[in-house]
Every structure is written in C-alpha cells, then in structure tokens.
Amino acid sequence: MATVLVLGAGMVGTCTALHLALRGHTVTLVDRRGPGQETSYGNAGIIQREAVEPHPFPREACSLAKMALGQDNAVHYSLGALPAMASALFGYWANSSPRRYAAIARAYARLIEHSTSEHEPLIERAQAQGLVFRDGYRFVYREAASYRKEVARARRLAQSYGLQHVELDSDALAAAEPALRRRLAGSIHWLDAWSVRDPGALVERYAALFQEVGGTLLQGDAATLAPAGAGWRVRCVDQTIDAEHAVVALGPWTDALLRPMGYRYPLFIKRGYHRHYQSSQPPALPMMDADNSLVIVPMFKGVRITTGAEFARLDAPPTPVQLEYSRRLAGELINLGEPVEPQPWLGARPCTADMLPIMGQAPRHKGLWFNFGHAHQGFTLGPACGRLLADMIEGKTPYLESGPYLPTRFGA
Ligand SMILES: Cc1cc2nc3c(=O)[nH]c(=O)nc-3n(C[C@H](O)[C@H](O)[C@H](O)COP(=O)(O)OP(=O)(O)OC[C@H]3O[C@@H](n4cnc5c(N)ncnc54)[C@H](O)[C@@H]3O)c2cc1C
C-alpha cells in the first residue's frame, strides 16, 4: 500500500483521493479551503453525459467577428489578458480544425462515457441520492434555424455515441415546461444527463466518505510542496505530511504550482459567473438557452444562472457583464425574481489547448502525478478521472486507454 498526498479538494482531487482510499492506500487530501468550495461549488451542477464533444474554438469568420465585437454572450474578454494567453489560445484554435477536433472528440467521448456510471456508486456509498436528479438536461432554442441545425447534430451524436434524446417542437416544449413565459422554436432534451441541486455539497459528501474509509483531510497550502527523500512533503496547518506520491489537482490554480517546477503546459482559463434568484416558478429541468450561452438551473438555493466564457486573468476583479445580460435574457424565459446573494459568484474553468485533461505521471519528477484541465466538464468527469489516476498510480492497466490524456503528449 502506498502513501499519497492529493493537492486540491475540488471534484477532481476529492474523487482521486476517494478512489485511492477505497483501495486501501494511506491518503491525505489537502486544500487551503474546505472540499468543493471553488469551481466545483459554482458550476451548473450538470453531470453532462451528453457532452461527448468538447467545446471547440469557433472557426467561422462570422462567429469570430461577433466574438471580437462583443456581440456574442458566449464570450467576453479583457484585451489586457490576451497576450499571456495567446499561445494557448492559438493552440486551442489550431486543435479545433475539423481533422484534429475529430480525434480529440473521440478521446473526450471515451471519458464522458464513464461519467454517470462512475458517479453512480460514489453517490450511493456517500448517500447523496437526495442531491441528484436523473431527468436530463434541456437545450432550448429561440430561433427556428438554430433548432433545425441542432436537431441534425443531436441525431448524429445520438447515433454515434448511443445517447438518448427527445426533440420537442414549440408546442411540445410549452407543454413540457410550464415555467416558460414565452414560445420558443423548440428544444432537445438529453435524457442521459443528471443534475445536482447543490454541486459543492456533492463534493462534501464524497469528501466525508473519503474520511469514513480512512482518508485524512487537512488544510494546507500546495505551494509548500517540496521533494522529501524519495517522496514529497507539504506543510499543513499544525503539521507536515510526507508521502511517496503527490497528485496535483488544483484546477485553475495548477499553473502557478507547476511553472516554477519547469512545466509549461498550454493552459488557460475561461472564467464564469453565477447568481441565484428567488424564482416563484423554477424550470422543471436545467435549461440551456443555447442561442445565448446561458444556463438556468433549479438549485436548492434558488434558480442559478451561469454564464459562458470570460477570457481574463484569474485574479482580475469581476466584470460580470455576461451575467447581467444573461439575467435579462433569462427573465424573458422564466419568472426570475430577486437575487439571493448580494454579489455574483466568480470562478474559472481550467482549460487546455487540446481540450483534453492532463492526467498521469509528471514527466520529470518521480512520484508526482497530474489530474487537471477538465475545462467545462470537471464536475462530470471527477469520478471517471479519479479512477483512471488511481489505476495509474497503482501501476495497473488503466480501465480505459490513457494515452490521449498523458502529460507526455506535450513533450518531456
Ligand atoms: C460557470 C461554470 C459552470 C460550469 N458548469 C459545469 C457543469 O454543469 N458540469 C460540469 O461537469 N462542469 C462544469 N463546470 C466546470 C467545472 O466546474 C470544473 O471543470 C471543475 O469544477 C474543476 O474541478 P477541479 O477539482 O479541477 O477544480 P476546483 O473545483 O477549482 O478545485 C481546485 C481546488 O484547489 C484548491 N487550491 C487552489 N490553490 C491551492 C493551494 N495553493 N493550496 C491548497 N489548495 C489549493 C482550491 O481551494 C480548490 O478547492 C463549470 C464551470 C463554471 C465556471
């Protein structure tokens, strides 16, 4: 049995620690805050079994022009932040070419395929069934042209990846979703997706299970990570922990730890906002207003509106222009009510230029392991990727082919 330090108690780190502890290893999970209090708290809470293809960089001239001119709610950017991200963003654009994207999507789909099936046993053992709703995810379309286009795509995805969906025209949608205040062109209801009414609480339940099965949860700063003998050491509040292996699962904060160690991966972030509203009639299902890139999700705390991508520095002050616009658009669809919190929440999706997470052994440091870069679907992928990393640390043949996700794909 090994000793392992896992740095970062978001969905990804917590699931990695949990898988290792369930196999009998001595595991310490370290976070500067509590489990599931950052990105894994603030997301839309959807376990996106339908998200078999990652988000590509738009390549059509009209989409790029709309983004550049600030006319697309999917994207907001701070000009000053772009030079530092330029090389990773160029890689993202290049990897979104049809040929490269097809191979990336195949590798991505192999992870997503295990998303709900890997959450399932953990939800059960953590007794978290009350947080999870298994009634799917609805994409709604305001424009008839975009609905028609997306129906064709949905049929292709359903056929290629064995996904289940229901197409609802305007009348059927109005009947299925009584919370809607206006008629829309139609909807695609993905039946295989699940949603969580308090995403941070699911991570907390997984972390509680981790402790029940013998894991140790400590507060500490990952920046203190240093080699110690043949392994690794990190300073926590009141104590120092040594272990043979250390796993970096710091989500959007990973680059800050790895750069000084000489690892320069093409990482960037897409910031996102949320806010809850005291709606008198929440939608029955999570709803993506696909023409406007905003998500409206019923949560225990109220209706949560989440936004698209903001390209800005991780620590730059909030500029919630997308949230304000999304609030107005969401108010056209449902009766939104007053905000619950005084200020919006701000977080960041940890992204890689090739849209695939980075998972596996660090190329130049023995006993150091990576599990980060899960971008738009880290909440979905935590259990599947935690299991994969546990297999790798144990030196087993991984339960799924790990080649496309290894850090060595970027060189040594
Ligand atoms: C608006 C929005 C909506 C989203 N919606 C969805 C969705 O519906 N479904 C989905 O699957 N994904 C969604 N995502 C993406 C998802 O939230 C992320 O991919 C996922 O949460 C990343 O998990 P993580 O564990 O890698 O990072 P995090 O959850 O951010 O965890 C990283 C942890 O590292 C800790 N940490 C950082 N620095 C240090 C340090 N120096 N020392 C110690 N600890 C440290 C932090 O405290 C944190 O707990 C969304 C993201 C956003 C922003």
Side-chain angles (χ1 to χ4, degrees), residues 7-14 30-48 137 220-223 249-254 257 270-274 306-308 345-350 371-381:
L7 305 173
M11 181 55 100
V12 173
T14 300
V30 177
D31 201 289
R32 61 184 173 197
R33 303 186 63 184
Q37 293 192 13
E38 293 280 3
T39 333
S40 299
Y41 156 76
N43 56 69
I46 304 164
I47 299 179
Q48 287 191 260
Y137 182 16
D221 185 355
L250 295 170
W253 292 275
T254 299
L257 183 80
K270 293 181 184 173
R271 304 206 309 182
Y273 298 82
H274 88 222
T306 65
T307 63
W345 172 87
L346 166 62
R349 302 168 183 91
N371 199 355
F372 54 80
H374 299 76
H376 289 257
Q377 272 93 36
F379 187 72
T380 299
L381 290 174

Side-chain angles (χ1 to χ4, degrees), residues 181-243:
R181 297 174 67 175
R182 54 171 279 192
R183 297 296 286 234
L184 299 173
S187 155
I188 295 164
H189 178 180
W190 291 103
L191 300 175
D192 303 294
W194 296 352
S195 59
V196 176
R197 297 273 162 109
D198 183 344
L202 185 63
V203 183
E204 284 172 22
R205 296 281 180 94
Y206 288 173
L209 174 61
F210 162 72
Q211 290 174 281
E212 275 165 38
V213 298
T216 306
L217 176 65
L218 292 177
Q219 214 178 350
D221 185 355
T224 63
L225 181 74
W232 295 92
R233 172 172 299 163
V234 79
R235 267 206 316 277
C236 297
V237 175
D238 298 333
Q239 57 189 307
T240 297
I241 303 290
D242 285 6

Side-chain angles (χ1 to χ4, degrees), residues 5 60-61 77 130 244 292 300 306 327 336 344 378 384:
L5 267 167
E60 309 81 41
Y77 61 90
E244 297 160 70
N292 293 299
F300 292 141
T306 65
R327 181 194 63 77
L336 205 51

